[in-house]
Amino acid sequence: MKKTDLLIIGGGPAGLCAAAMAAECSAHALVLERNPKAGGQLVKQTHMFFGSEKQHASVRGVDIADILLEKIARYPNNVELMTSTTAVGLYEDGVATALYKEENYFKIMPRAVIAATGAYERPLAFPNNDLPGIYGAGAVQTLMNVYGVKPGERALMVGAGNIGLIVSYQLMQAGVKVVAILDAAPKIGGYLVHAAKVARMGVPILTSHTVKRALGETELKAVEICAVDERFRPLEGTEKLYEVDTLCVAVGLSPLAELLEMRGCEMRYVPQLGGTVPVRNENYETTVENVFAAGDTSGIEEASAAMVEGSLAGLCASAKLGFVHPRYEELRQELQGQLDALRAGPAGKHIREGILSIVAKGGFSC
Amino acid sequence: MRLEEHPILAFSRGKEIQFTFNGENVTGYEGETIAAALHAAGVKVLGESLFLHRPRGFYCAIGNCSSCMMVVDGVSNVKTCITELKEGMRVETQRGKGTVV
């Protein structure tokens, strides 16, 4: 049985920042990452980040992943990172189980757990939506930006949020023709700066449109789209056929929090946070003592917020175990200030509302 | 098809790896996942659905959705989107639930 102070599940922006903070607090952290490369979704993000310098604004996501990995590499005695390792169970006696590749199944006895398991891309329901050639937009991003493999020749994007817009641009950088971007909503959901960039490249952005069906026998050959009315009902006679070999689905993310459910944490469905999330206190601790959550696992935002939440969860979980950072109060306030800034304004309204509905006041003090 | 030129990224590929897909020789590179190497070789169908036997390709590429599961070196249900290639790997299309080895 492997022992550690903190078991951090997920080696993305939240998990790596939690590990770095735990190390600064002199705690020991074991980070499990199921992908062969740590960094979470940062490793495929070739665009420069917005936000503030504190979360590496104007640095490309892929470079932020390297910065975070270098940071934890400075603490070889405090942080152990295991890649290709999937956490598969969290049990009521505190034991966690994990699988390394297909080879080694082992147990871990941590003093505390931070779930930083991220999110998954939602699918979209339409006939033949399971044909090979239909992918989550993030999957296509992984294929082309991490592995350097061209996804296809002609692609259609569903979703004009930031992911749909950014991945469309990156498809073009990889030499793929993007025939159109659809969105069922009457207006573009992503930042207009991203929309303008793809529109300038000649890609039509069709709002109030959706996928009617996909066509193909063993692989995607074409997609039929149609316009929708204000209640998202298809409008007869508006169908249009696009011959494409790639359809990217970018219709939002949902939190991946099954391990917390398995552990018995109280969960709540919060639409503003993207799905079912753990109820927690102000210290990122769930309703199960010494089980913490940070990042998209506890509400869909973006990588900048995940990094700050990870640092805060690492700070609080370490303190709970007796590893109190010498600048605990100061850091806490500073990090909370960063989160407040990221969530300020109308764009952060749903996040602020969502968080209010899951954070129980009080909790332990240290 | 593999990308050789990119405005932002430089792809430094590892050494060549030989593996088989349904008995045929395929070349990939060290550091690639099985699913990425197969896609580069033009293979999109990785398995089939349990009951209607519909073709399955990868969907999420982060080890979550289970749409990419194949038989690798005789082991069923391997998530090929997060499993790295190894020299001499035997990769096969999975039909049905797979067997316990």
Side-chain angles (χ1 to χ4, degrees):
Chain A
M1 182 114 67
K2 235 175 142 61
K3 292 202 168 160
T4 181
D5 295 320
L6 270 175
L7 171 66
I8 299 172
I9 306 173
L16 293 179
C17 286
M21 185 57 84
E24 272 188 43
C25 297
S26 306
H28 183 270
L30 170 65
V31 184
L32 305 184
E33 166 56 49
R34 70 177 165 188
N35 278 272
K37 292 177 190 181
Q41 307 320 306
L42 290 171
V43 299
K44 63 193 182 192
Q45 296 179 358
T46 50
H47 63 283
M48 293 181 187
F49 273 48
F50 291 161
S52 109
E53 261 172 45
K54 299 221 167 59
Q55 300 96 39
H56 312 286
S58 78
V59 178
R60 298 183 196 280
V62 57
D63 298 324
I64 298 176
D66 287 336
I67 293 171
L68 299 181
L69 287 168
E70 279 163 26
K71 207 167 170 184
I72 63 163
R74 275 183 240 143
Y75 302 97
N77 298 325
N78 291 81
V79 181
E80 183 184 355
L81 171 63
M82 292 186 73
T83 54
S84 295
T85 306
T86 308
V88 289
L90 281 185
Y91 297 89
E92 56 194 7
D93 58 0
V95 171
T97 52
L99 179 66
Y100 170 70
K101 294 191 172 170
E102 301 292 324
E103 297 158 14
N104 183 14
Y105 184 70
F106 61 99
K107 293 188 201 175
I108 305 148
M109 187 69 221
R111 293 178 62 205
V113 175
I114 299 177
T117 40
Y120 69 92
E121 298 192 272
R122 285 183 203 148
L124 189 63
F126 53 85
N128 288 334
N129 71 347
D130 59 346
L131 276 177
I134 301 176
Y135 312 104
V140 160
Q141 215 182 4
T142 300
L143 189 68
M144 62 187 178
N145 293 350
V146 179
Y147 298 109
V149 174
K150 197 174 175 181
E153 295 303 323
R154 289 166 61 83
L156 180 68
M157 178 67 67
V158 192
N162 281 329
I163 294 180
L165 298 170
I166 290 171
V167 175
S168 294
Y169 189 72
Q170 293 175 1
L171 277 162
M172 288 185 272
Q173 287 179 317
V176 180
K177 164 87 180 163
V178 179
V179 296
I181 301 171
L182 315 181
D183 203 306
K187 61 177 196 170
I188 293 167
Y191 295 144
L192 290 179
V193 59
H194 295 314
K197 219 166 158 180
V198 285
R200 276 201 301 274
M201 306 274 288
V203 180
I205 302 177
L206 308 173
T207 51
S208 297
H209 276 76
T210 193
V211 176
K212 192 169 182 189
R213 61 186 175 133
L215 293 105
E217 288 298 317
T218 54
E219 292 175 11
L220 182 71
K221 296 284 178 223
V223 178
E224 189 176 50
I225 70 160
C226 67
V228 294
D229 67 14
E230 66 282 355
R231 292 180 61 199
F232 304 109
R233 289 171 304 201
L235 291 168
E236 287 294 322
T238 60
E239 292 83 359
K240 194 174 173 190
L241 196 71
Y242 284 105
E243 284 184 20
V244 288
D245 57 8
T246 307
L247 176 68
C248 298
V249 181
V251 295
L253 302 164
S254 289
L256 269 176
E258 291 91 337
L259 285 168
L260 294 173
E261 279 193 88
M262 178 182 181
R263 184 65 181 81
C265 303
E266 188 186 335
M267 309 295 288
R268 207 169 281 168
Y269 180 76
V270 183
Q272 295 98 320
L273 299 177
T276 303
V277 291
V279 172
R280 62 171 178 84
N281 64 21
E282 288 168 320
N283 303 311
Y284 296 84
E285 192 175 20
T286 67
T287 55
V288 174
E289 192 175 12
N290 291 334
V291 177
F292 296 74
D296 277 359
T297 314
S298 55
I300 303 301
E301 287 185 79
E302 27 62 59
S304 310
M307 287 187 269
V308 185
E309 277 207 351
S311 301
L312 273 165
L315 185 72
C316 292
S318 300
K320 178 87 191 277
L321 300 181
F323 300 96
V324 182
H325 196 287
R327 291 169 48 227
Y328 176 86
E329 277 304 331
E330 189 189 331
L331 273 175
R332 220 182 140 147
Q333 280 182 22
E334 188 194 312
L335 291 165
Q336 189 56 50
Q338 289 181 28
L339 273 183
D340 292 344
L342 286 168
R343 293 166 181 162
K349 186 169 175 273
H350 64 291
I351 302 288
R352 298 196 300 271
E353 285 172 2
I355 288 171
L356 272 180
S357 72
I358 54 154
V359 176
K361 296 284 171 194
F364 72 90
S365 53
C366 43
Chain B
M1 201 177 102
R2 286 187 176 79
L3 298 169
E4 300 304 334
E5 282 179 29
H6 193 279
I8 292 165
L9 298 165
F11 300 106
S12 53
R13 298 199 162 88
K15 70 171 170 66
E16 274 193 11
I17 284 188
Q18 304 298 326
F19 67 104
T20 63
F21 168 64
N22 292 342
E24 286 186 35
N25 292 323
V26 185
T27 304
Y29 291 92
E30 197 174 56
E32 279 181 351
T33 58
I34 298 168
L38 285 176
H39 196 97
V43 177
K44 288 187 179 177
V45 181
L46 308 177
E48 62 177 40
S49 66
L50 287 183
F51 303 106
L52 299 177
H53 310 289
R54 292 171 61 84
R56 285 281 176 267
F58 73 83
Y59 180 79
C60 78
I62 56 169
N64 200 56
C65 73
S66 301
S67 186
C68 67
M69 295 201 299
M70 301 179 81
V71 182
V72 177
D73 289 335
V75 178
S76 307
N77 301 318
V78 173
K79 290 179 179 177
T80 56
C81 76
I82 54 166
T83 304
E84 286 187 325
L85 276 182
K86 272 194 293 204
E87 185 65 36
M89 250 178 183
R90 280 181 296 120
V91 180
E92 294 163 284
T93 307
Q94 181 163 332
R95 296 178 208 286
K97 293 175 184 170
T99 47
V100 176
V101 281

